[in-house]
Amino acid sequence: MITREELQINTSATPTPPTRPCHQIQEQRPSLLWSGSSVLLFTVRCPEHDPAVMAGTLPQHGSPKSGYSANNTAAVPAITQTDSRDKWSKKMDFLLSVIGFAVDLGNVWRFPYICYQNGGGAFLIPYILMAVFGGVPLFYMELALGQFHRTGAISIWKHICPIFKGIGYAICVIALYVSFYYNTIIAWALFYFYSSFSSILPWTNCDNVWNTPDCTNYFGVDNVTWTNSSRSPAEEFYTRNVLELHKASGLRDVGGVRWQLMLCLFLIFTIVYFSLWKGVRTSGKVVWVTATLPYIVLFILLIRGATLPGAWRGVVFYLKPQWDKLLETSVWVDAAAQIFFSLGPGFGVLLALSSYNPFTNNCYRDAIVTSLVNCLTSFVSGFVIFTVLGYMAEMRKVEVEDVAKDKGPSLLFITYPEAIANMMGSTFFAIIFFVMMITLGLDSTFGGLEAIITAVLDEYPDYFSHRRELFVLCLVVICFLGSLSTLTNGGAYVVKLLEEFGVGCSIIAVGFLEAIAVSWFYGIKRFSNDVQAMLGQAPGLFWRVCWVAISPAFLAYIIVSSLLKAPPLTLFDYKYPDWSITVGYIIGFSSFMWIPIYMVYKLVWTPGSLKQRLAVCLRPERTIPDIHADTLNMATVSQKDMNTSVCL
């Protein structure tokens, strides 16, 4: 096994001679440096010292291996690697990809709703605390892990703690579940986008074939009475024309597949395929559009919203502090869950994206910058949404609270389009709004599927490394077929079920185990040494305490609170039956179960006594980035020459 004292990276072909006595070399800790396209590994041994302790990320061994003693002049292999792994063309490609993944539709619909529901401006206190002590440390940890080990969510556990490899498989299953419903939401947005190319938006009035007698249009009409049975034109367009929910009786009878939505989803997956099929070099270019365009649109919509009558009412409602809410446990749970799902640690995406970085990239700065951008985007999105809600309350002559009852996708597909339909230039604002939604969704889809692609290709390079295009095509087809149930008349019920149980507690539990495995089993000292090898500086005490104690406690708090206080699942007027909740838990367990299954498999198939098996399963199998046989050039170097060849 090659030790860290035996590891040196050099951009030149020949190592430089030492300038200090060899015993001084042993006193200094080596730093692992990465040199772009090539890696030179060779042995450094001193006649005076022959330690058998591995530094940095390596476990301790007993006696030196034969062939590595100071007096042995036998030839030992020096490994020169030509790194064939894809790399980002530019640093901004990586940053925009991470921002695009983290800033998704949830930033626009989930944060504003949770903020006003949990105390307005007062909610920012638990939100910021949970971000500082929980979300950002986990975000930083994943970026550092992916960059150091340069591999995906499955094979990375060979470097960390092999018995937890099932986490990688669980992440891939969860990412599949997300793709089954998330892209359907983007397809809804594409349907709206197509419908927006009209001088009069189809959800403006009640004169359409899908409207019912309950349809009530209050814009531009005096003396309109709004009752509990009243439905706005935008709501009926969404439920009766886009989804056609009235043709489904519930999950027992979801009806047929909507061919219009299937066509929209096909177009979405076509874009996804041609963005991902060549790797990060193509997706890194696409995100220059999909990650930046939403900010341009948000700025336009913010300016337009601020000029609407009643906008100030929405802003006051959004930010007015309710300090008594801070005493409620649910507020802190919502803050913790929001920051976790917003930043996205545990999904394997950050591992995948950062694995294509240069070894010495400043992932610490990247974590801080992208986290700040993500949180600020959520905050600004609240102004975009609530200025419009204030305008609607002014038009309806009701309180903002009565208008802001919609949450989730309904906020984006009913409330906001309804307001847009009654603005000057409604067609233009509708088009750019749904373009923003499509691009926000596509970025997150790119990240989620790239997590699966990178994980599988790194775990099974002999099968898929030269067949990426074919593998991506098969993956996209599987995701498309898995999404068909969400395209039915009752597809919205399936989307809600997958959103609640397909991700939910499963991904939080995965994140919790990942934090435990890295901080407690791999060891915080090892991990800190890895970060120091990349950045030249070890993480501070704050980060180490967060990784070891605070962040795992943060995740455990969310899990326990979610399980103890599970609210009833409803969508519009439909209450999910008990059997569907059972199905939901089965879906959630179907991803998490791979963790204990792999643990049992690993222990059973590892030879030796139980104590020996545990020792092997908990010890990293590999401690340097994977070196594939087809990328190696072997050279033989005399051990005697290497004793005086280089100083680390």
Side-chain angles (χ1 to χ4, degrees), residues 2 8 94 199 222 234 262 356 366 370 372 500 503 571 588 620:
I2 300 173
Q8 169 70 19
F94 166 70
S199 57
D222 296 328
M262 186 170 66
Y356 299 106
D366 294 344
T370 51
L372 282 174
E500 290 292 326
V503 188
L571 181 65

Side-chain angles (χ1 to χ4, degrees), residues 230-252:
S230 297
R231 298 290 181 265
S232 68
E235 181 176 347
E236 292 204 341
F237 178 81
Y238 176 56
T239 59
R240 298 181 61 85
N241 186 46
V242 179
L243 303 180
E244 292 190 350
L245 275 175
H246 60 286
K247 295 183 180 180
S249 59
L251 286 174
R252 286 191 180 276

Side-chain angles (χ1 to χ4, degrees), residues 226 313 389-390 392-403:
W226 189 267
R313 293 178 59 190
L389 293 182
M392 291 181 63
E394 187 81 6
M395 295 296 100
R396 285 192 188 182
K397 297 179 175 57
V398 296
E399 296 298 323
V400 179
E401 185 175 1
D402 298 326
V403 179

Side-chain angles (χ1 to χ4, degrees), residues 170-171 174-175 340-341 344-348 501-513 555 559 588 591-592:
I171 287 173
I174 292 172
F340 179 82
F341 285 110
F347 284 86
F501 294 101
V503 188
C505 283
S506 300
I507 195 64
I508 300 174
V510 165
F512 172 75
L513 290 179
L555 295 173
I559 296 171
S591 59
F592 185 79

Side-chain angles (χ1 to χ4, degrees), residues 68 71 159 211 234 310 314 381 414 423 522 542:
Y68 283 89
N71 297 325
H159 307 283
N211 291 130
S381 297
I414 297 177
M423 295 179 184
Y522 185 65
F542 167 77

Side-chain angles (χ1 to χ4, degrees), residues 390-538:
Y391 165 64
M392 291 181 63
E394 187 81 6
M395 295 296 100
R396 285 192 188 182
K397 297 179 175 57
V398 296
E399 296 298 323
V400 179
E401 185 175 1
D402 298 326
V403 179
K405 60 183 180 180
D406 289 327
K407 61 179 179 178
S410 298
L411 187 64
L412 299 182
F413 292 109
I414 297 177
T415 309
Y416 209 90
E418 182 179 339
I420 287 177
N422 294 277
M423 295 179 184
M424 290 291 293
S426 58
T427 298
F428 168 75
F429 287 109
I431 290 173
I432 65 171
F433 177 73
F434 290 110
V435 165
M436 179 190 73
M437 288 182 58
I438 293 169
T439 53
L440 282 173
L442 283 174
D443 283 333
S444 297
T445 293
F446 294 159
L449 293 186
E450 185 61 54
I452 301 176
I453 296 166
T454 301
V456 175
L457 264 60
D458 286 345
E459 178 64 13
Y460 307 103
D462 297 336
Y463 296 99
F464 300 115
S465 61
H466 302 296
R467 302 182 182 91
R468 179 185 173 102
E469 293 89 347
L470 181 60
F471 175 76
V472 175
L473 178 61
C474 293
L475 177 62
V476 167
V477 170
I478 291 172
C479 293
F480 180 80
L481 295 176
S483 303
L484 289 180
S485 63
T486 65
L487 302 176
T488 58
N489 301 128
Y493 301 133
V494 182
V495 168
K496 182 73 171 178
L497 191 71
L498 287 173
E499 183 184 9
E500 290 292 326
F501 294 101
V503 188
C505 283
S506 300
I507 195 64
I508 300 174
V510 165
F512 172 75
L513 290 179
E514 180 182 311
I516 292 296
V518 173
S519 300
W520 295 6
F521 289 88
Y522 185 65
I524 197 63
K525 184 176 181 181
R526 283 182 181 179
F527 181 61
S528 298
N529 290 336
D530 295 346
V531 175
Q532 183 176 12
M534 293 186 294
L535 306 183
Q537 184 176 358

